[in-house]
Amino acid sequence: MKNRTLHFLQILLLVTVNANAIPLRIAIAGAVNQLAEESLKTESVLSSTGVGVVPFQTDSDMALKRGVNEIVAILVEEAVSDSLGFYLVDRAIVKKSLDEIELALSGLGSPDQLRAGAIEEATYLITGLVAETGGGYQVILTLIETSTMMTVATRELSFPASALTVYGDKLVAPFGFYGVFGSFEWAITNTDFGPYNLVAGITAIIPTGKFSYVRPTLECLYAEGNQSTSQIVQQAGVIPELASGTNQLAALIARLGLGSFIPISRAVYIHLGLDLGLGIDGKRLLTRDASGSELIETKLRDAEVCFSGSLDAGVTIRMTERLAFDLQLGLTGKTYGFYLNPDSITMGGLYLPLRISLAIPF
């Protein structure tokens, strides 16, 4: 009874008071309850109705930069969850059918196909538009029936930009991503392999707070060199000479990093981090023994342990809802070969990596 009274008062406030004068959360809750009342006029039900919230659109660069459309969508989801007439369909279910929903809303898709998809739990969809007005924003909420893709009701409300102040944390919260990357590493202290390495792999940035993240990475490295001398020092204390021919390296390294964000806008941030890695490497080296008369060849199958550490800085740009671009520079140290025996050769050095990632934001 208390919840019913509260919602009635919210609706009463919307009727008698301008939305600019009341908290944005309450204004949106009242608008959602009005949509719920409109839905009851077309279909009498005895229980709550499933509603999915579709991402809101905006034609305002400022609203997009500040993430106003995303904040409004979050508040609408909260209002649907608290509504007496609606219950919220999980965002993941809606997201699975987002392409079909967008086609159906544009009139190009089949409502029957949409109804047969994963969104069938939702009787209605709520979507809308955020527009910029003088010193504030206007929001149009639209309630759509999924069986017919027809508009059931709309509601409009406006609010000043200052109403977003309390949502500042959400406006600057960084997004995470996962995807694939390619990297070019230039050797600056050791050119036994190289002088460059090629690296490919998968990576992710997972936010753990407003300014912090963890970054797991799995990389596959390949390098090839052809030099006449080497700066490798064996435990025996001699400097072997690399024979004429190709010297190859292949390594698989798992890395884990920690770092922090520097937000630039809703869609752009800088990240700074440190990561450590452990993996296995295989080398093919042609060297001469201490006398210089006998060739010694190691095989790629003679895998050894390798270590890596890296300091890096990068910039991440959210290009679209489903595509992010990350550019990263750094300083990386690697050691190839760590067997403690007289025949082991420990190699490695410092590298300058340039990494480009194409990823899916979340």
Side-chain angles (χ1 to χ4, degrees):
M1 183 62 68
K2 182 180 293 185
N3 287 338
R4 289 179 181 273
T5 303
L6 177 60
H7 288 305
F8 174 77
L9 290 175
Q10 289 176 355
I11 294 173
L12 183 62
L13 281 172
L14 275 177
V15 174
T16 58
V17 184
N18 188 286
N20 292 351
I22 61 177
L24 179 57
R25 188 186 302 272
I26 295 178
I28 290 179
V32 168
N33 280 319
Q34 288 181 335
L35 293 178
E37 288 186 347
E38 290 293 327
S39 70
L40 292 176
K41 295 179 180 179
T42 59
E43 181 180 0
S44 297
V45 294
L46 298 177
S47 60
S48 298
T49 305
V51 174
V53 178
V54 180
F56 279 52
Q57 302 300 313
T58 180
D59 55 6
S60 164
D61 292 337
M62 183 59 68
L64 187 63
K65 181 178 181 181
R66 292 185 174 184
V68 178
N69 54 324
E70 297 181 32
I71 296 300
V72 170
I74 291 172
L75 294 178
V76 169
E77 288 182 343
E78 293 177 358
V80 170
S81 297
D82 295 336
S83 172
L84 296 177
F86 292 150
Y87 72 85
L88 182 65
V89 175
D90 187 84
R91 180 184 292 187
I93 296 176
V94 178
K95 190 174 183 179
K96 287 180 181 179
S97 297
L98 190 57
D99 290 337
E100 295 178 13
I101 292 171
E102 290 175 347
L103 282 174
L105 290 176
S106 67
L108 300 178
S110 168
D112 294 335
Q113 181 181 3
L114 177 63
R115 240 345 233 178
I119 197 62
E120 62 184 5
E121 184 179 347
T123 304
Y124 297 104
L125 300 173
I126 293 181
T127 186
L129 175 68
V130 177
E132 187 176 358
T133 60
Y137 300 95
Q138 181 183 34
V139 176
I140 301 175
L141 302 180
T142 304
L143 183 68
I144 298 172
E145 189 176 20
T146 57
S147 61
T148 62
M149 299 312 297
M150 298 293 292
T151 297
V152 175
T154 61
R155 284 295 179 271
E156 296 184 17
L157 59 96
S158 59
F159 55 90
S162 58
L164 297 171
T165 303
V166 295
Y167 308 107
D169 287 349
K170 292 180 180 178
L171 288 173
V172 298
F175 60 89
F177 67 80
Y178 60 92
V180 298
F181 72 89
S183 180
F184 176 92
E185 297 182 345
W186 187 266
I188 58 176
T189 63
N190 191 313
T191 56
D192 299 312
F193 296 116
Y196 58 84
N197 297 342
L198 298 178
V199 184
I202 56 177
T203 188
I205 278 186
I206 304 173
T208 56
K210 183 177 177 181
F211 297 110
S212 61
Y213 69 85
V214 296
R215 181 165 196 165
T217 300
L218 181 64
E219 65 178 34
C220 181
L221 178 149
Y222 177 76
E224 184 175 298
N226 181 14
Q227 301 202 66
S228 60
T229 60
S230 170
Q231 299 176 20
I232 305 167
V233 179
Q234 296 189 56
Q235 290 186 354
V238 299
I239 301 177
E241 180 180 327
L242 287 177
S244 177
T246 299
N247 302 295
Q248 297 176 341
L249 169 71
L252 185 66
I253 305 174
R255 303 159 69 103
L256 182 63
L258 300 173
S260 61
F261 297 104
I262 302 177
I264 303 300
S265 71
R266 180 65 179 172
V268 181
Y269 61 76
I270 293 173
H271 55 85
L272 307 172
L274 166 67
D275 65 45
L276 299 175
L278 176 66
I280 57 173
D281 72 81
K283 296 185 291 290
R284 179 182 182 274
L285 297 172
L286 295 174
T287 63
R288 297 187 183 279
D289 64 3
S291 66
S293 60
E294 184 179 355
L295 287 176
I296 302 173
E297 181 179 0
T298 64
K299 304 292 185 180
L300 285 172
R301 64 175 179 267
D302 298 329
E304 295 184 320
V305 179
C306 61
F307 297 92
S308 72
S310 181
L311 293 171
D312 55 69
V315 57
T316 302
I317 303 173
R318 187 169 190 161
M319 311 294 289
T320 69
E321 288 294 323
R322 301 189 186 115
L323 179 63
F325 173 81
D326 183 66
L327 179 64
Q328 179 178 301
L329 296 172
L331 178 63
T332 299
K334 288 188 173 78
T335 298
Y336 308 116
F338 208 70
Y339 282 172
L340 299 179
N341 62 69
D343 296 326
S344 175
I345 300 177
T346 298
M347 309 176 67
L350 293 176
Y351 300 85
L352 291 175
L354 171 64
R355 176 188 287 181
I356 299 176
S357 301
L358 292 177
I360 300 174
F362 62 86

